[in-house]
Amino acid sequence: MQEIVVNDAAAEQKLKKPDWLRVRLPIGESYRHVRNLVDKNKLHTICESGNCPNMGECWGEGTATFMILGNTCTRSCGFCAVATGRPDPVDWDEPQRVAEAIHLMKVKHAVLTSVDRDEIKDGGSIIWYNTIRAVKALNPDTTLETLIPDFKGQMENVQRIVEAHPEVVSHNIETVERLTRQVRIQAKYWRSMDVLRYLKENGMRVKSGIMLGLGETKEEVIQTLNDLKNNGVDVVTIGQYLQPTKKHLAVQRFVHPDEFAEYREIGYTIGLDYVESGPLVRSSYHSEKHVLPGYGKAKWEEEKANFIA
């Protein structure tokens, strides 16, 4: 079995970032507006905690992905830049602060995510429910995507998300089955699939994401796409893994944009409703479009028709 290399100095020297991984610097009035709102309301964003390469673009357009339940995670995934340790106590005022910040931003679409809170009996699902309801109450015209943890597969906690009923519920599979134990140390591939299937069976529009460049094969990526489709996923995001620090898993390969385009084609061919695939794609990238059933597939079919013509 191919092993993921951590801190392989030789590999790091050979693997230099290609030109297609260049990102825009965060500038502009909209960026400063979001920056001020985040700081003033003492909010956490996965944009910052996760070192997202699209932060400048998204914040420049007035959007951000808010991270609830603190910024310290109880899990220690090998790919993730979010701090691991003992989290602070739950802040029961946080749902209202998040709702008010989204209201001040006047966005039409918002994204929420959270750290894992495995030390709490409800896994943080009560705060999740309260936050979704607070956002919807104060922002009735704002659509909402929620990127949730697996809640250790405890479906009574997942059910709280269903009852709060955001427009999209996302839970990332992150990598292929073979690499899950190394990449998502405390997670389980099929447990995540069970969560996704439960969400779909209970009427949710379901989304998941996978990173490439960790040592997976093409066949494994295609199998993962099929597993996601077979478990009810509507939307899939596919992006390049970037090593946050030298303490995290090393990049095994930088995947060419043409290969990402191929996976997009495969995803639509097997029946996924929306496939966002590219080197800089992250889960919340263009997420305002992921709310719309049929939009992604229609655009793909239009592209194919124009190409043939």
Side-chain angles (χ1 to χ4, degrees), residues 22-82:
R22 293 180 179 179
V23 299
R24 293 167 51 187
L25 292 173
I27 56 174
E29 186 60 35
S30 293
Y31 172 84
R32 288 190 290 272
H33 177 64
V34 174
R35 166 87 276 164
N36 290 337
L37 284 172
V38 168
D39 292 343
K40 182 178 179 180
N41 289 276
K42 300 178 181 179
L43 299 170
H44 302 295
T45 70
I46 193 63
C47 318
E48 297 169 291
S49 297
N51 294 333
C52 181
N54 300 311
M55 188 173 78
E57 179 181 350
C58 294
W59 285 30
E61 294 175 356
T63 64
T65 299
F66 296 106
M67 188 167 68
I68 61 175
L69 289 161
N71 62 350
T72 303
C73 190
T74 54
R75 299 189 185 181
S76 52
C77 296
F79 68 91
C80 186
V82 176

Side-chain angles (χ1 to χ4, degrees), residues 28-206:
E29 186 60 35
S30 293
Y31 172 84
R32 288 190 290 272
H33 177 64
V34 174
R35 166 87 276 164
N36 290 337
L37 284 172
V38 168
D39 292 343
K40 182 178 179 180
N41 289 276
K42 300 178 181 179
L43 299 170
H44 302 295
T45 70
I46 193 63
C47 318
E48 297 169 291
S49 297
N51 294 333
C52 181
N54 300 311
M55 188 173 78
E57 179 181 350
C58 294
W59 285 30
E61 294 175 356
T63 64
T65 299
F66 296 106
M67 188 167 68
I68 61 175
L69 289 161
N71 62 350
T72 303
C73 190
T74 54
R75 299 189 185 181
S76 52
C77 296
F79 68 91
C80 186
V82 176
T84 301
R86 182 183 293 276
D88 292 331
V90 170
D91 179 358
W92 295 100
D93 294 327
E94 184 177 46
Q96 189 61 30
R97 289 206 314 278
V98 171
E100 290 172 357
I102 289 172
H103 181 72
L104 289 170
M105 288 172 66
K106 299 179 181 179
V107 295
K108 295 180 180 179
H109 178 74
V111 183
L112 300 178
T113 190
S114 80
V115 293
D116 285 278
R117 295 295 298 261
D118 292 334
E119 89 287 6
I120 306 173
K121 184 177 180 180
D122 67 76
S125 61
I126 294 175
I127 282 285
W128 261 109
Y129 177 87
N130 290 348
T131 304
I132 297 168
R133 298 310 300 169
V135 170
K136 284 186 164 292
L138 196 58
N139 307 275
D141 297 325
T142 298
T143 55
L144 185 61
E145 176 186 324
T146 53
L147 174 54
I148 66 169
D150 62 15
F151 297 114
K152 295 193 289 188
Q154 296 173 355
M155 296 309 171
E156 65 271 22
N157 293 330
V158 180
Q159 179 61 27
R160 289 194 176 97
I161 309 298
V162 173
E163 291 171 358
H165 206 78
E167 280 71 22
V168 176
V169 185
S170 181
H171 172 63
N172 286 339
I173 200 70
E174 304 292 10
T175 190
V176 301
E177 182 179 8
R178 176 176 60 87
L179 298 178
T180 295
R181 183 175 293 181
Q182 295 159 291
V183 176
R184 304 171 66 210
I185 298 169
Q186 295 104 318
K188 298 177 181 178
Y189 182 86
W190 288 108
R191 184 169 72 186
S192 286
M193 290 292 178
D194 287 343
V195 169
L196 293 165
R197 186 175 66 254
Y198 181 89
L199 290 165
K200 187 62 179 178
E201 289 173 347
N202 284 275
M204 297 288 97
R205 181 164 173 80
V206 184

Side-chain angles (χ1 to χ4, degrees), residues 265-305:
E265 183 83 6
I266 291 169
Y268 280 125
T269 300
I270 66 174
L272 291 166
D273 188 61
Y274 202 121
V275 184
E276 193 87 57
S277 183
L280 292 175
V281 167
R282 295 297 181 266
S283 184
S284 58
Y285 189 57
H286 292 163
S287 64
E288 70 280 0
K289 299 175 183 177
H290 303 165
V291 173
L292 307 170
Y295 177 85
K297 181 168 283 189
K299 293 290 288 184
W300 170 68
E301 291 173 347
E302 180 183 334
E303 289 172 13
K304 290 180 70 68

Side-chain angles (χ1 to χ4, degrees), residues 231-250:
N231 282 277
V233 172
D234 302 291
V235 182
V236 174
T237 60
I238 310 171
Q240 171 71 50
Y241 167 67
L242 298 175
Q243 186 182 29
T245 74
K246 291 183 178 180
K247 296 180 180 179
H248 291 84
L249 298 172

